[in-house]
Amino acid sequence: MNATVTAPVRRSPLAHRSAMSAPDDLLHLSERAFDAKIVLRGLPEVLAPAIEKVTGLAMPEATRSTANDAHRLLWQSPDEFLLLGPVDGEPELMTALTAELDGRHVQIVNVTDYHTTLVLSGPKARETLMTLSTLDLHPRGFTVDQVAGTTFGHALGWLVQTGDDAAEGGPVFEVLVRWSHADYLFCELTHGARAFGMPEARPVSGELMEI
Amino acid sequence: MSQPYRIPGRGLINRDRSVSFTFDGREIPGYEGDTIASALLANGEIMVGRSFKYHRPRGIVGAGGDDPAAMVQIGSDPASTDPNVMVTTREIHAGLEARSQNCWPSLKHDVGVLNDVFMRFFPAGFYYKTFMGSDRFRWLNWMTFEPFIRRAAGLGKSPTKPDPDSYESVNRHCDVLVIGAGPAGLAAAANAARSGARVILVEETDRLGGSLNATDPDGTTIGGKAPADWIADQTAKLAEHPEVTVLTQTTAFGYYAMNFVGLIERVKDHLPEHRRDRRQPRQRVWRVRAKQVVLATGAIERPLVFNENDRPGIMLAGAVRTFLNRYGVLAGKRVLIFTNNDSAWQTAFDIRAAGGEVAGIVDLRRELNEAMALRALKAGIAVYPRTAIVGTHGRHRIDSAFVSSLDDNGNVRGSRSRIECDLIAVSGGWNPNVALFAQSRGKLKWDEELASFRPGLSWQQERSAGACNGTLELQEVLAEGSKAGLEAARAADFTVRAIRQPEVRTDAVETLNLVPVWQVPSGLPREKTKAFVDLQDDVKASDLQLATEEGYDSVEHTKRYTTQGMGTDQGKISNVNAFGIMAEARGITVPEVGTTTFRQPYRPVTIGALGGQHVGAHFMPRRGTPMHAWHLEQKAIFEPVGDWLRARAYPKPGESFHDAVQREAKAARTTAGILDATTLGKIDIRGKDARTFLNRVYTNAWSKLAPGRCRYGLMLGEDGMVSDDGVTACIADDHFHMTTTTGGAASVLQKLEDYLQTEWPDLDVWLTTVTEQWAVAAVCGPKAEEIVASVVEGIDLDPEEFPFMTWQDGTVGGIPVRVFRVSFTGETSYEINIPATYGRWLWEELIAAGKPHGLTPYGTEAMHLLRAEKGFIIVGQETDGTVTPGDLRMDWAVAKKKGDFIGKRSLSRSDTVRDDRKQLVGLLTVDGDHVPMEGAQIIGTPEEPAPPVPMLGHVTSAYFSPNLGRSIAMAMVKRGGQRMGETVWIARLGDKPVPAKIVHYDFLGDAVGEAA
């Protein structure tokens, strides 16, 4: 066999977009591509020792996440967790977790390419998200490390607050969104932030539908 | 211009800023803060339109959102023109263009007025009786007449071009939502705000204060302050609290379940063009979820129903007061008051205080408040107790009223006398504005003193305060508002202490002493009395009485028969009067009549605002695969599949769609084809009971499928009908990779997770979707092996070594891939799965590698054609939810000996085992060039017999096959499996049926040869 392929090119769902900002640092929106993402299904008490050993993270309470410098663990349901890790970290994480949990009733699935991460930060981040989500996103209603799976307009996503409101740069939110919904959501967020001076990104379109 | 009806020194308008606009092309001067209504009235214009049915002149009746019929068309741009805008709620600005509507050729010379002349012949239900029920018109039908009737009876004109404005909807949660910023609402919001609760205060008009803005500023103090100062104080206090949001120009239009309230904010409508911020939407819908709601929506005055009560110049007494005190306009030079209660007397006093002339107070009551009568006497106002207005005069504006005194039975006694006046200020009492309360499912109760409905039992977390609760004295209103605000904050888990209430001093009339008179006698026979109840829909008291007599006596039936309350105003001022008249007609009480249902929206809401930002490019996500941009670059034709957009075909320049599909399908069998198969649903299945699980969800057996192998499976519903299909691969003994149809991905996962959690919690199985983890390129055809071999490493691709229905791991450029030897075309095929972020790269590598071999990208249309040639079904095309595996003649896919599976029991029902069910077969038309129409009916005779035609079945798929050089079709035919070789006929609309032979549906097998 003579493979004659060129060097692999990895493209994120929003490779065609660049980071966008509203004036006066009111809002910043960007994609953080290629984070390692692993779904872990199993009872928390079964998963906990392995996760702690591999990542150093404790299991999160319902609707919360735990995090350290390299990893974040999101609660998704009573027996479902999403582990985020460094770029290109998924093979090692898969191997280590699989070894630790060998023979246990768990599922470990690499979903690194399933989602991408939108990072939304700044004092107007909450109001921008409120144009698309029905959740209570007031600082009293949604706090650092909180997690919610919800719809943003017509797109499903996982929302997690990673940066405090009081910290410089305002609150930071991350939205994990499917590959195929990423462009839609990116553009909807810029659209929702027009009032803050955000330039508008128009969704990719132009598909011919007529025969 | 002089604005001759303006009163110096009165009103909250900004007299330093003149603003003019146009009405029917004429320039109308006003001031900043005017509504269209107040500016028109300041210039003596009171007639603004014509009524819906009789085209009778209609004037301004209310001063706010209660006005029934004074509507105009704003703007003339066919895209942005705005019909049915209430003149009482739209602020004027430079450049505003208003036009009267529902009249032609002009407001004061209208052709439709002929309807008015023939009014006697147009009673309730006239159109339906005449055109739907009458023998005389049986030869015509309603459909013939409807367009003409609709054109004659219209409102404003809808825009004809796409809306150029943008809209937005936003979501908010709050602890206390206060609706209405009158005295009660302000007190409630201020008290709730002190607790630190998140408070949203909503005000429909452009300024806070509500009824306080309509009171004589010299007659009332609150805590020693003039009303305007008290309002300013409250506003300033609210501004100190960071968690308080105050929304003016905002209407709460709907109260839904679980304290969900819809608000519509008019962001830019009231601004001149140059002040409209392009970044802001025209209107914004706020979707508010409130822990507690305080309703402070005030009361709506109701008119009296008397003969000729619909002429321009007849206005609600409270509205006259509002125009005077809020807008500095006294709408008439000589005002006659007509009332059955005390409150309208205040209008007379305010007019006198402002230096206006009062023609008299005509009061239906015999017993009058002595102090009030004395005050009238001192003010030089003539009082006519126990007297009624029995008629009016004046075409486009009244010039006089006719009054008669009443006897002890309330009948007209003696002769009519004439009183000259150019405005009649009417009051029939006050209806608490309970619309939102009723929408929230709160139960109304009848209040004898108000002779109206007020809030009774609450259903949701809300409380009513102030006039909407039937409380009219200002001191009480403030107390009730404060209490509601405190209680709401506490109910939302906040702590707050009460503070001392400000003392109210007022000389305003705050008593009511109402004597209900639902219809004022006219002394004329019923058919000669034009006593209007609903001014927008032209419903007269006699229409309601006629409806009752004809048997439409339930309140909901009367409403529909007469159209009472069915206009854009939803009967705000007229419904209670209508209920009273119905009660009298039926000889029962008003609470026994009950009310019609209060429905959302409270006021009309622009459809665009409800759509919000989800329009145009943002209407729906355009779900595309990692290879989507490549398909776009190739100028592919796309089609929606599930919620994806998939490439349907790739026509070359100048090539037709049909030719492209034929070329692509031919290449896939003769050289090689490549398909973007990313959208197939994919589910990772893990656990020691995974095989048991698969045995239960698929119809065939999974116990012995070895790792490395794949199997096709059919999934049924509990009803035994095919619901999905796909190939599942065994990764390890406890690990499987399932694929589903593109459209079924989400629903299959949901169904399987549901079964695991609720039906089979004993099974150790986990499921996770991996649909978008993988990009999938399917390469098939004689050259496929060679092409794939030049790209994929680590796998011997020789079909002998890598047989059909197996899978192997390999790499491409060092990136791990999983290759499945499965096929939806019947050709040798390799489905390469790669992590999605490498999808575009892999695709381009394959395209490059395939170029020398004639590799042709094919779309979903060629895919459908190719699978039909091989006789593979598509769930949703061959099946429609009524098709069993046996009907598909796929019994081979149903295991007889394994245990239970979803739908198994249903396969032995008498209906599913009967032998005359429709079955899937192939069809070859005798004329091979003829492609039947999908969905065409199949019959058993060469000619179509007279109806009812016995149907044998229908065509499910039909194509022209380039590989067979003829048409092929699949069809569901009764007893199809037993009819091989028989000829049937495919019916055509307006043409002779086409003969076709029934064959097995694997057209690449023997079917075509055998049929020849």
Side-chain angles (χ1 to χ4, degrees):
Chain A
M1 264 174 281
N2 278 324
T4 56
V5 297
T6 61
V9 179
R10 196 175 190 191
R11 281 191 188 84
S12 73
L14 294 171
H16 57 291
R17 303 278 176 200
S18 25
M20 293 175 75
S21 298
D24 305 324
D25 287 323
L26 289 177
L27 191 68
H28 296 280
L29 174 64
S30 59
E31 180 194 28
R32 198 179 64 233
F34 310 138
D35 280 0
K37 301 173 199 79
I38 290 166
V39 165
L40 291 133
R41 296 209 63 177
L43 296 176
E45 58 269 30
V46 176
L47 296 170
I51 289 177
E52 164 131 48
K53 185 164 178 197
V54 173
T55 67
L57 291 177
M59 298 303 286
E61 300 285 310
T63 77
R64 310 290 304 177
S65 62
T66 54
N68 56 27
D69 287 347
H71 305 96
R72 182 176 285 273
L73 184 63
L74 281 63
W75 180 94
Q76 293 192 305
S77 82
D79 54 21
E80 189 168 3
F81 301 85
L82 180 63
L83 176 64
L84 308 181
V87 175
D88 292 331
E90 63 273 16
E92 293 82 54
L93 285 171
M94 288 292 292
T95 308
L97 288 166
T98 305
E100 288 297 324
L101 291 163
D102 186 38
R104 307 303 302 268
H105 175 45
V106 298
Q107 184 183 33
I108 309 166
V109 188
N110 176 12
V111 294
T112 300
D113 290 46
Y114 190 105
H115 301 98
T116 191
T117 308
L118 295 180
V119 184
L120 192 67
S121 63
K124 291 296 180 188
R126 290 182 185 273
E127 273 180 75
T128 302
L129 288 167
M130 285 180 206
T131 63
L132 293 174
S133 166
T134 57
L135 295 177
D136 184 359
L137 293 170
H138 186 275
R140 291 180 192 167
F142 207 88
T143 54
V144 171
D145 291 340
Q146 193 161 338
V147 172
T150 185
T151 53
F152 297 90
H154 297 289
L156 284 175
W158 284 94
L159 177 70
V160 55
Q161 185 176 351
T162 57
D164 195 86
D165 288 62
E168 184 156 349
V172 183
F173 293 90
E174 297 182 8
V175 184
L176 285 121
V177 62
R178 286 174 174 171
W179 217 108
S180 60
H181 284 150
D183 191 64
Y184 165 82
L185 183 53
F186 185 93
C187 297
E188 277 277 43
L189 286 169
T190 65
H191 190 61
R194 278 172 309 163
F196 316 126
M198 190 73 151
E200 248 193 281
R202 305 288 291 173
V204 169
S205 62
E207 294 88 352
L208 302 170
M209 304 290 283
E210 305 282 318
I211 294 176
Chain B
M1 267 206 261
S2 57
Q3 304 188 35
Y5 289 76
R6 200 68 82 170
I7 302 296
R10 285 272 170 149
L12 306 168
I13 44 166
N14 182 0
R15 289 179 197 253
D16 297 334
R17 296 196 94 147
S18 293
V19 177
S20 65
F21 69 103
T22 64
F23 177 62
D24 281 342
R26 285 173 299 129
E27 183 156 320
I28 307 285
Y31 295 113
E32 188 179 83
D34 263 328
T35 59
I36 297 175
S38 64
L40 285 172
L41 290 172
N43 292 281
E45 302 268 351
I46 201 161
M47 175 181 171
V48 292
R50 287 181 178 270
S51 65
F52 189 73
K53 189 167 157 190
Y54 304 129
H55 291 240
R56 285 173 67 89
R58 286 288 174 261
I60 296 161
V61 171
D66 53 335
D67 188 272
M71 295 183 292
V72 291
Q73 181 104 20
I74 300 289
S76 51
D77 183 306
S80 61
T81 183
D82 198 2
N84 309 331
V85 172
M86 299 165 70
V87 295
T88 51
T89 62
R90 179 62 63 89
E91 291 75 13
I92 59 168
H93 59 77
L96 180 76
E97 236 182 88
R99 243 166 255 282
S100 51
Q101 53 189 38
N102 204 24
C103 46
W104 185 85
S106 76
L107 179 59
K108 293 192 176 165
H109 303 94
D110 171 49
V111 167
V113 77
L114 280 174
N115 280 4
D116 188 21
V117 175
F118 297 107
M119 183 188 327
R120 277 183 60 189
F121 309 107
F122 289 79
F126 166 79
Y127 297 114
Y128 289 88
K129 281 177 194 161
T130 307
F131 297 116
M132 300 188 84
S134 160
D135 277 352
R136 198 167 1 139
F137 291 100
R138 185 170 286 165
W139 54 277
L140 286 170
N141 63 25
W142 173 245
M143 301 305 284
T144 317
F145 284 103
E146 194 186 2
F148 296 99
I149 293 167
R150 294 266 182 253
R151 195 179 307 159
L155 293 162
K157 289 191 176 59
S158 296
T160 52
K161 297 258 174 66
D163 192 338
D165 290 308
S166 66
Y167 301 86
E168 180 175 277
S169 69
V170 298
N171 304 286
R172 286 294 186 279
H173 291 248
C174 70
D175 300 305
V176 181
L177 171 65
V178 182
I179 301 170
L186 277 172
N191 279 282
R194 287 194 292 109
S195 73
R198 282 189 262 168
V199 176
I200 297 178
L201 174 64
V202 182
E203 167 55 35
E204 186 165 32
T205 70
D206 62 344
R207 68 168 58 233
L208 307 184
S211 60
L212 292 177
N213 294 319
T215 56
D216 178 349
D218 303 325
T220 300
T221 59
I222 304 171
K225 289 178 176 153
D229 296 334
W230 183 81
I231 295 166
D233 269 11
Q234 301 301 305
T235 310
K237 277 184 196 157
L238 288 172
E240 286 169 14
H241 297 285
E243 297 299 346
V244 173
T245 306
V246 178
L247 299 172
T248 54
Q249 303 274 12
T250 303
T251 306
F253 65 81
Y255 198 137
Y256 303 88
M258 297 171 75
N259 264 13
F260 185 67
V261 181
L263 316 176
I264 174 86
E265 180 189 9
R266 292 169 291 277
V267 183
K268 299 199 290 202
D269 285 341
H270 57 291
L271 299 174
E273 195 60 47
H274 69 275
R275 284 181 55 206
R276 294 184 181 181
D277 184 344
R278 296 182 64 81
R279 303 179 309 182
Q280 291 284 346
R282 176 187 166 215
Q283 295 177 353
R284 181 182 286 122
V285 167
W286 297 68
R287 298 149 43 101
V288 178
R289 183 80 65 183
K291 286 204 182 98
Q292 299 288 325
V293 172
V294 176
L295 296 171
T297 50
I300 294 177
E301 196 165 20
R302 61 178 185 245
L304 287 163
V305 178
F306 59 99
N307 184 36
E308 298 169 336
N309 63 340
D310 68 324
R311 297 185 195 278
I314 299 174
M315 195 183 276
L316 290 166
V320 172
R321 205 153 66 233
T322 301
F323 283 120
L324 175 60
N325 294 319
R326 180 168 182 160
Y327 299 102
V329 175
L330 180 51
K333 297 290 184 196
R334 196 176 141 80
V335 187
L336 184 65
I337 313 287
F338 185 28
T339 185
N340 65 349
N341 68 82
D342 291 353
S343 73
W345 288 59
Q346 182 64 43
T347 303
F349 300 147
D350 281 9
I351 292 170
R352 288 298 298 132
E357 187 184 350
V358 176
I361 299 174
V362 178
D363 200 312
L364 288 160
R365 299 171 296 173
R366 178 197 304 280
E367 309 292 336
L368 298 179
N369 179 325
E370 259 179 54
M372 237 170 44
L374 197 63
R375 198 170 156 189
L377 189 68
K378 278 184 186 162
I381 300 169
V383 175
Y384 305 86
R386 199 58 179 157
T387 302
I389 295 182
V390 294
T392 61
H393 186 268
R395 186 72 187 154
H396 296 139
R397 176 172 196 148
I398 55 150
D399 53 36
S400 49
F402 302 99
V403 300
S404 289
S405 54
L406 301 177
D407 64 20
D408 288 345
N409 299 321
N411 295 320
V412 170
R413 186 185 67 179
S415 59
R416 290 152 54 115
S417 47
R418 178 177 178 138
I419 301 176
E420 286 191 6
C421 58
D422 62 351
L423 188 72
I424 303 178
V426 181
S427 179
W430 292 85
N431 298 326
N433 185 1
V434 293
L436 293 173
F437 172 80
Q439 286 177 16
S440 80
R441 286 190 70 188
K443 225 170 146 53
L444 298 173
K445 70 178 177 203
W446 179 253
D447 185 308
E448 286 292 346
E449 279 182 33
L450 293 166
S452 191
F453 292 95
R454 67 188 202 86
L457 194 66
S458 286
W459 183 266
Q460 298 201 40
Q461 296 298 310
E462 51 74 32
R463 58 211 82 217
S464 295
C468 72
N469 197 34
T471 305
L472 301 177
E473 285 173 41
L474 184 54
Q475 185 76 67
E476 285 302 304
V477 165
L478 291 173
E480 228 175 75
S482 304
K483 183 163 172 271
L486 293 171
E487 285 180 359
R490 288 170 188 153
D493 288 336
F494 288 83
T495 309
V496 58
R497 284 205 299 196
I499 52 171
R500 207 165 64 87
Q501 290 299 310
E503 194 190 344
V504 173
R505 288 175 186 275
T506 181
D507 63 9
V509 176
E510 292 194 311
T511 52
L512 206 54
N513 299 316
L514 177 134
V515 175
V517 178
W518 299 118
Q519 185 181 359
V520 177
S522 66
L524 297 170
R526 187 168 98 185
E527 65 276 11
K528 290 200 168 161
T529 304
K530 297 175 182 178
F532 284 83
V533 182
D534 182 331
L535 289 174
Q536 185 176 138
D537 293 319
D538 285 341
V539 179
K540 301 190 297 301
S542 56
D543 293 322
L544 296 168
Q545 288 150 355
L546 181 69
T548 304
E549 285 159 18
E550 293 187 352
Y552 294 91
D553 54 357
S554 144
V555 64
E556 297 284 6
H557 288 159
T558 315
K559 166 180 172 169
R560 281 154 185 80
Y561 197 59
T562 60
T563 70
Q564 164 64 40
M566 286 171 70
T568 56
D569 66 325
Q570 292 284 290
K572 284 185 181 59
I573 64 167
S574 61
N575 272 347
V576 174
N577 281 337
F579 304 151
I581 290 163
M582 290 177 211
E584 280 179 350
R586 292 168 62 187
I588 57 177
T589 65
V590 182
E592 283 173 310
V593 168
T595 69
T596 45
T597 307
F598 289 85
R599 291 199 177 83
Q600 305 90 355
Y602 170 70
R603 264 180 66 181
V605 178
T606 311
I607 290 287
L610 295 175
Q613 59 272 54
H614 306 290
V615 294
H618 302 284
F619 182 60
M620 278 288 281
R622 305 171 87 87
R623 279 186 92 179
T625 70
M627 292 79 111
H628 192 78
W630 188 90
H631 307 319
L632 261 171
E633 286 161 21
Q634 303 303 310
K635 299 197 165 46
I637 307 278
F638 287 80
E639 69 169 334
V641 181
D643 47 4
W644 295 85
L645 282 179
R646 296 188 71 180
R648 193 175 178 198
Y650 304 85
K652 293 182 167 173
E655 188 181 36
S656 73
F657 173 79
H658 176 263
D659 290 347
V661 172
Q662 296 286 307
R663 171 179 55 75
E664 291 169 15
K666 184 93 182 164
R669 293 214 193 279
T670 52
T671 54
I674 181 168
L675 174 79
D676 179 357
T678 305
T679 61
L680 280 190
K682 307 173 197 72
I683 301 169
D684 190 87
I685 302 172
R686 191 82 185 236
K688 71 175 168 54
D689 297 321
R691 285 178 191 278
T692 309
F693 175 72
L694 290 171
N695 274 333
R696 293 184 191 176
V697 301
Y698 278 131
T699 56
N700 49 350
W702 294 82
S703 305
K704 290 180 182 148
L705 186 72
R709 300 201 64 87
C710 310
R711 181 164 290 169
Y712 173 83
L714 278 179
M715 223 177 262
L716 309 184
E718 292 286 6
D719 56 3
M721 304 303 160
V722 173
S723 63
D724 206 80
D725 68 346
V727 170
T728 293
C730 180
I731 310 296
D733 259 334
D734 64 346
H735 189 186
F736 291 82
H737 175 91
M738 173 187 279
T739 63
T740 73
T741 58
T742 295
S747 59
V748 168
L749 178 68
Q750 189 177 351
K751 169 176 154 177
L752 298 187
E753 186 69 48
D754 189 19
Y755 271 95
L756 270 179
Q757 291 190 24
T758 63
E759 303 293 326
W760 311 319
D762 53 310
L763 292 189
D764 276 355
V765 176
W766 298 113
L767 305 174
T768 294
T769 169
V770 288
T771 300
E772 299 207 27
Q773 168 66 16
W774 302 101
V776 182
V779 184
C780 76
K783 305 274 190 176
E785 182 196 344
E786 216 175 320
I787 295 164
V788 174
S790 64
V791 172
V792 173
E793 292 175 283
I795 304 177
D796 183 350
L797 295 162
D798 181 346
E800 297 288 319
E801 301 297 321
F802 187 8
F804 184 51
M805 293 307 255
T806 64
W807 67 270
Q808 290 194 42
D809 279 331
T811 58
V812 177
I815 308 301
V817 296
R818 185 169 280 167
V819 183
F820 294 86
R821 278 277 289 109
V822 296
S823 174
F824 196 39
T825 60
E827 290 301 310
T828 301
S829 179
Y830 302 84
E831 283 194 10
I832 310 168
N833 287 239
I834 192 163
T837 50
Y838 293 103
R840 169 84 192 259
W841 168 76
L842 170 70
W843 182 267
E844 283 179 316
E845 291 303 317
L846 288 165
I847 294 287
K851 206 163 188 185
H853 303 284
L855 178 68
T856 301
Y858 66 95
T860 50
E861 191 68 22
M863 174 187 83
H864 288 178
L865 197 169
L866 289 161
R867 66 85 207 179
E869 288 179 342
K870 183 59 189 164
F872 290 147
I873 64 156
I874 291 180
V875 172
Q877 178 136 3
E878 270 61 57
T879 73
D880 58 2
T882 68
V883 175
T884 67
D887 298 342
L888 294 170
R889 295 195 299 126
M890 290 172 72
D891 307 75
W892 53 267
V894 182
K896 304 289 182 296
K897 288 179 184 159
K898 72 166 183 175
D900 199 11
F901 58 85
I902 298 171
K904 182 177 187 185
R905 187 186 164 281
S906 294
L907 295 181
S908 54
R909 286 191 298 127
S910 56
D911 182 60
T912 46
V913 297
R914 65 188 161 84
D915 64 358
D916 62 343
R917 289 180 67 87
K918 289 178 190 169
Q919 289 186 304
L920 187 67
V921 294
L923 280 186
L924 289 174
T925 48
V926 171
D927 171 7
D929 287 336
H930 178 82
V931 181
M933 187 184 277
E934 287 177 357
Q937 293 292 325
I938 294 165
I939 58 177
T941 52
E943 300 291 337
E944 192 173 310
V949 182
M951 305 291 192
L952 293 180
H954 64 278
V955 176
T956 60
S957 298
Y959 307 89
F960 188 86
S961 161
N963 297 302
L964 298 166
R966 58 154 302 133
S967 81
I968 56 170
M970 294 164 90
M972 294 296 293
V973 176
K974 203 176 265 193
R975 294 180 208 269
Q978 299 163 47
R979 288 175 180 258
M980 290 301 145
E982 284 184 21
T983 298
V984 290
W985 285 264
I986 301 166
R988 290 190 292 173
L989 190 64
D991 216 332
K992 253 178 85 72
V994 173
K997 188 164 277 188
I998 294 183
V999 296
H1000 291 291
Y1001 47 66
D1002 180 358
F1003 298 98
L1004 295 180
D1006 302 330
V1008 176
E1010 276 173 14

